[in-house]
Amino acid sequence: MFKRIAVHIEKDSACPARTAVAAELAARFNAQLIGLYVSPALPRYPFDEAMLPAALYHEVRKQQTDDRKRCEQEFQQRAQAADVASQWRAPEGNAERVLALHARLADLLVLSQAGESADESSVDAAVMGTIVLSVGRPVLAVPRAARSSSAGKRILVCWDHGREAARALADAAPLLAQAEEIHALTLDPDGSAMRSRATVPGDLRAWFGAHGYVEPHIAERDTAGIRVGNAILNAASDYSCDLIVMGLYGHSRAREWILGGASREILKNMTVPVLFSH
């Protein structure tokens, strides 16, 4: 059950949409809503070697304070309108590390799809990927152009018999329990990689049934001539789904998280909210 939902708060244009989604979920699950605002750390004049001129330092600090206060006020107004308990946090540091750190004691972290402008938000596509792969909690990514604050009535689950997909199923349990319709999508079911992973036929339906979820519609599609990410998005559109549940794939190289191709495609082109798990 989602009892603590954290949402990234910033002055970027996508913040109202993701905050609305987070507040709606908090109200639905009677959860606490935690606003996470990350201020970039500045050199501590005059002790750092790379010091800023005093006037510039204080001007930047004032702007940060004004931005933080405005964001906090808007967050509290949305939480109050949704009638949910809220908590405000404004730590300093690197967004990639700070968001993951604070979200580890929440049940869900809500972020926005990275914007096309690199300077609009501190969470770009690379930062989001790193957070999902390191946070240890599911992350709900909300499209920049999201028009609805509700998600989870009609869910598309991406299922390939792998560890990440199984983790995603478990992490999405609160949403699956309330879903009206579920579609379980398997891509390239006749491929050698899929055959080596396949379990007992019918086990997926049995798993949903054992948990009391609605019986899933099993969908199988080939990706010949189409990218995996696009195949997933097409399926979500065809079934009128308002949420995608999937594992995020990646590996660590030289202390950096590298995402798989399908994960990058979804992060770039998502049209509905996506619950990522790793």
Side-chain angles (χ1 to χ4, degrees), residues 135-241:
V135 65
R137 289 289 187 267
V139 173
L140 182 67
V142 178
R144 291 188 301 274
R147 297 179 180 178
S148 173
S149 62
S150 181
K153 297 294 185 181
R154 299 167 63 93
I155 301 177
L156 179 74
V157 173
C158 299
W159 180 249
D160 67 354
H161 307 275
R163 185 196 73 83
E164 288 82 359
R167 182 69 260 165
L169 276 182
D171 285 340
L175 293 163
L176 294 172
Q178 295 185 0
E180 297 174 358
E181 190 172 307
I182 299 173
H183 298 264
L185 175 67
T186 297
L187 298 176
D188 301 321
D190 297 324
S192 58
M194 194 61 64
R195 287 198 302 270
S196 68
R197 287 182 169 188
T199 57
V200 177
D203 256 8
L204 188 58
R205 281 196 178 94
W207 185 87
F208 278 89
H211 287 273
Y213 305 155
V214 297
E215 182 176 351
H217 167 71
I218 305 299
E220 296 181 345
R221 296 192 175 193
D222 292 318
T223 59
I226 186 173
R227 293 180 180 274
V228 170
N230 288 335
I232 294 171
L233 294 174
N234 288 347
S237 177
D238 292 345
Y239 300 131
S240 300
C241 293

Side-chain angles (χ1 to χ4, degrees), residues 14-171:
C15 188
R18 68 174 173 270
T19 306
V21 170
E24 193 278 332
L25 286 171
R28 192 191 312 177
F29 292 102
N30 192 26
Q32 182 184 42
L33 185 64
I34 302 172
L36 296 178
Y37 182 96
V38 183
S39 297
L42 294 177
R44 296 180 179 177
Y45 178 84
F47 303 106
D48 286 19
E49 293 181 3
M51 66 180 68
L52 293 174
L56 177 59
Y57 177 88
H58 291 299
E59 180 61 30
V60 171
R61 274 299 190 192
K62 181 180 182 303
Q63 184 63 54
Q64 282 187 340
T65 299
D66 291 344
D67 290 343
R68 183 178 67 250
K69 288 181 177 179
R70 183 167 56 253
C71 286
E72 181 180 5
Q73 182 180 27
E74 293 173 356
F75 167 77
Q76 297 293 5
Q77 288 173 346
R78 290 182 179 276
Q80 185 175 13
D83 194 24
V84 296
S86 64
Q87 183 181 122
W88 174 257
R89 298 182 186 177
E92 283 192 352
N94 176 278
E96 182 178 289
R97 297 184 180 90
V98 171
L99 287 172
L101 177 65
H102 284 262
R104 288 188 181 119
L105 286 178
D107 302 306
L108 179 71
L109 173 63
V110 181
L111 302 175
S112 285
Q113 175 189 24
E116 296 179 359
S117 173
D119 59 356
E120 184 177 2
S121 172
S122 58
V123 179
D124 59 21
V127 170
M128 177 182 283
T130 301
I131 291 173
V132 178
L133 292 169
S134 64
V135 65
R137 289 289 187 267
V139 173
L140 182 67
V142 178
R144 291 188 301 274
R147 297 179 180 178
S148 173
S149 62
S150 181
K153 297 294 185 181
R154 299 167 63 93
I155 301 177
L156 179 74
V157 173
C158 299
W159 180 249
D160 67 354
H161 307 275
R163 185 196 73 83
E164 288 82 359
R167 182 69 260 165
L169 276 182
D171 285 340

Side-chain angles (χ1 to χ4, degrees), residues 7-20 71 78 112:
V7 57
H8 172 226
I9 301 297
E10 200 172 3
K11 62 177 183 177
D12 61 301
S13 60
C15 188
R18 68 174 173 270
T19 306
C71 286
R78 290 182 179 276
S112 285

